[in-house]
Amino acid sequence: ALLRWLLPSLLALLLSACAGAGSNRLMAEGKTATSLSSVGHYGKGIGISEFYVNGTWGGNQHGWGGGGSTVCCVSLPRTTGSPTLVTVKWRTYRTGVSEELWHEATVPVHFSVPPGDGDGLKVHFLPGHRVEVWYARIGLWDPEYPGPPYPRPPAPDYVPLPDEKPEPGKGK
């Protein structure tokens, strides 16, 4: 009976951490919490088995399009007077070869609206194992979204970099 009451209470407490700056008493002074999601621009034959932003787990991601989890929460400064940098760490896997690789990059957050006014942090996984991180009011599928355009089908094949295993039968 205690467990039946305790689990929902703990879940409600964790979810309230992303409720916003006004009601969020768990955030450090001068910080706000936002959700985290992702989109893949790699192509087919590759995926992201897990990723992290400043140590916060972000889920997994297909190599092309949406499908990443939306999780809570990443801490951002309430004001953006100077560039806000985040560290993104992610692990890719390729379906045609037995290869998993870790990648890490520290990149600026591109703000199109002030922190607290947007639709969450969006991580874009781009070809060449690059990432861009955006914070905007409008969603990824909106043509006015300021970040990289949402990937539309058909997905291209993933092209391995010179230091990665070639696809079987395609040579290096």
Side-chain angles (χ1 to χ4, degrees), residues 15-52:
L15 291 176
S16 71
C18 280
S23 63
N24 188 349
R25 302 191 192 292
L26 299 177
M27 280 280 104
E29 189 69 32
K31 300 283 186 177
T32 188
T34 189
S35 62
L36 174 64
S37 60
S38 60
V39 62
H41 299 265
Y42 277 121
K44 61 184 175 182
I46 189 171
I48 293 103
S49 58
E50 59 186 307
F51 76 96
Y52 302 84

Side-chain angles (χ1 to χ4, degrees), residues 19-110:
S23 63
N24 188 349
R25 302 191 192 292
L26 299 177
M27 280 280 104
E29 189 69 32
K31 300 283 186 177
T32 188
T34 189
S35 62
L36 174 64
S37 60
S38 60
V39 62
H41 299 265
Y42 277 121
K44 61 184 175 182
I46 189 171
I48 293 103
S49 58
E50 59 186 307
F51 76 96
Y52 302 84
V53 174
N54 289 348
T56 298
W57 179 77
N60 55 31
Q61 174 61 56
H62 301 292
W64 189 255
S69 305
T70 298
V71 300
C72 184
C73 289
V74 173
S75 175
L76 293 175
R78 285 188 206 268
T79 58
T80 56
S82 60
T84 299
L85 299 176
V86 294
T87 299
V88 181
K89 185 174 182 179
W90 70 104
R91 182 170 54 175
T92 55
Y93 66 90
R94 295 189 29 227
T95 56
V97 296
S98 177
E99 182 176 61
E100 289 190 15
L101 299 171
W102 278 100
H103 315 275
E104 186 172 322
T106 300
V107 297
V109 176
H110 302 280

Side-chain angles (χ1 to χ4, degrees), residues 37-39 66 119 122 124 138-143 145 148-150 152:
S37 60
S38 60
V39 62
D119 185 35
K122 309 291 191 254
H124 292 266
I138 54 181
L140 293 164
W141 303 273
D142 192 303
Y145 177 74
Y150 190 80
R152 306 279 183 213

